[in-house]
Amino acid sequence: MRRGVAALGLCSWDRFIVTDYYPGPGEYAIVQHQFQQAGGTTANTCAALAKLEVPVLFASTVGDDDEGRLLVASLANAGCDTRHIVSRPNTPTDSGIIVVSGAVGNRDRTIFWIQGAKPEIGDYLPVHELLDHEWLLLDVSDHRLRSFVLDLPAHLSPRTKLVGAMTYLSDLPRDLAWDHALRHDVLFGNERELRQLTGAATTDDAIAIARHDMVGRACRVIFLTAGRNGARALRVGGIVEQPAYAVEVRDTTGAGDAFVAGAIWALLERLDDVDVLKRGNATAALTCRELGARAAQPERAAVLELIASGRTVPA
């Protein structure tokens, strides 16, 4: 029996620093608060899926250290299947320093990525277990590994659909990155990432290029987020837009990861683009209510309640 969602991607241990403003060159800022928690783009999405009662199998790599053990424990406690998160000896766990600056409601983030253990080509992969799912989220920084996995469904499991995140694609040469992007069945990203991948100067131009280049490719829809301006679903045949939901925003860390979780939940239920965007937007909005990527990840009842309320950000 084919199951719902599997994911292959990154875990990270996040250290947060909260300041009233981000200092310029030669300036300083007083730290108001600091804390640590489990994070990482794919791990955040998997934790959010579990909170939404969507079973998820997560394959990843952590370091052989306390942070790695804490990461695996946090995901297991959230309800994720962590059997295929492996520990790499003599390698630190991937980590980040995230500076959250500005006043509540108008905060920005600066991320310093300290690279550590992460999935790479040559690692053992539970291929058949990953492909024994309707959807496989692929969110890796090793382009050779991504290329390898992109070829698998056509040979081993044609019914498995690949969900891709743009996050790490922009690190590749543009032509290769865009080719990889269009080999996913569904693609997620924000406006900045789409401009980088297409080489366009404006978001409108990037959208036009994307819709043109999707013709004849595996990618059928791109879900494009724009923060408080909501999100869009881009298809060759048209564009669907939905506004963001209004909440008191304390921190946007992990909002994009949560959007992916809410959208995948809707895709599993075979909802249309409007409802996919609504669930993605609502899950992302509720995640922004507390500091950190996971502190406010919502349960499914809260997401459906926010959607029913119709409390969207005014245009």
Side-chain angles (χ1 to χ4, degrees):
M1 179 179 178
R2 289 169 62 77
R3 291 163 285 183
V5 182
L8 172 63
L10 277 68
C11 293
S12 181
W13 188 255
D14 292 339
R15 296 173 174 85
F16 286 82
I17 296 172
V18 184
T19 68
D20 286 340
Y21 68 97
Y22 193 86
E27 299 179 346
Y28 68 88
I30 296 174
V31 175
Q32 304 295 331
H33 182 48
Q34 57 183 323
F35 61 98
Q36 303 179 33
Q37 67 175 213
T41 52
T42 329
N44 291 336
T45 296
C46 289
L49 281 166
K51 199 74 178 286
L52 295 170
E53 301 174 39
V54 176
V56 58
L57 169 69
F58 184 28
S60 187
T61 306
V62 296
D64 184 17
D65 51 23
D66 289 342
E67 288 80 5
R69 287 182 280 276
L70 287 170
L71 276 168
V72 176
S74 73
L75 288 162
N77 290 337
C80 301
D81 184 340
T82 61
R83 289 177 295 115
H84 296 298
I85 301 179
V86 299
S87 175
R88 180 168 292 149
N90 304 314
T91 306
T93 291
D94 203 71
S95 63
I97 298 172
I98 302 174
V99 180
V100 181
S101 56
V104 174
N106 190 33
R107 279 178 165 156
D108 200 358
R109 289 175 304 128
T110 305
I111 301 173
F112 298 89
W113 185 9
I114 305 169
Q115 294 191 327
K118 50 188 180 293
E120 297 174 347
I121 194 71
D123 289 346
Y124 166 75
L125 283 180
V127 169
H128 291 287
E129 280 200 70
L130 291 173
L131 295 180
D132 190 27
H133 290 78
E134 184 175 355
W135 293 93
L136 171 57
L137 171 61
L138 183 56
D139 185 29
V140 295
S141 57
D142 185 336
H143 71 275
R144 298 170 301 166
L145 177 59
R146 186 188 291 261
S147 180
F148 171 76
V149 177
L150 283 169
D151 288 333
L152 289 177
H155 299 293
L156 301 176
S157 181
R159 291 185 299 166
T160 300
K161 299 180 181 65
L162 291 177
V163 179
M166 297 182 192
T167 311
Y168 306 110
L169 285 169
S170 58
D171 294 334
L172 300 176
R174 185 176 299 151
D175 289 347
L176 179 60
W178 190 227
D179 175 71
H180 277 194
L182 295 175
R183 292 169 64 190
H184 300 83
D185 295 278
V186 176
L187 191 63
F188 289 93
N190 59 43
E191 293 181 344
R192 175 187 56 80
E193 291 167 339
L194 186 65
R195 291 194 301 270
Q196 287 182 327
L197 288 176
T198 59
T202 69
T203 299
D204 286 344
D205 287 344
I207 289 171
I209 291 170
R211 293 179 62 204
H212 175 273
D213 290 353
M214 288 165 67
V215 176
R217 300 302 301 267
C219 188
R220 293 291 177 262
V221 58
I222 298 174
F223 293 105
L224 191 66
T225 60
R228 63 176 285 106
N229 294 320
R232 285 172 276 195
L234 315 180
R235 291 185 184 267
V236 172
I239 301 174
V240 174
E241 301 185 22
Q242 282 295 303
Y245 288 95
V247 298
E248 183 177 349
V249 175
R250 295 196 66 198
D251 179 18
T252 60
T253 303
D257 307 327
F259 179 95
V260 174
I264 290 175
W265 170 32
L267 289 170
L268 278 169
E269 297 185 2
R270 292 172 171 75
L271 301 183
D272 63 19
D273 288 344
V274 169
D275 287 323
V276 173
L277 292 171
K278 285 181 177 180
R279 288 195 183 181
N281 283 343
T283 307
L286 291 168
T287 298
C288 296
R289 295 170 298 167
E290 299 292 345
L291 289 167
R294 299 194 197 169
Q297 286 182 335
E299 298 179 349
R300 63 165 59 192
V303 174
L304 296 175
E305 181 181 348
L306 181 57
I307 292 171
S309 75
R311 297 195 304 269
T312 57
V313 175

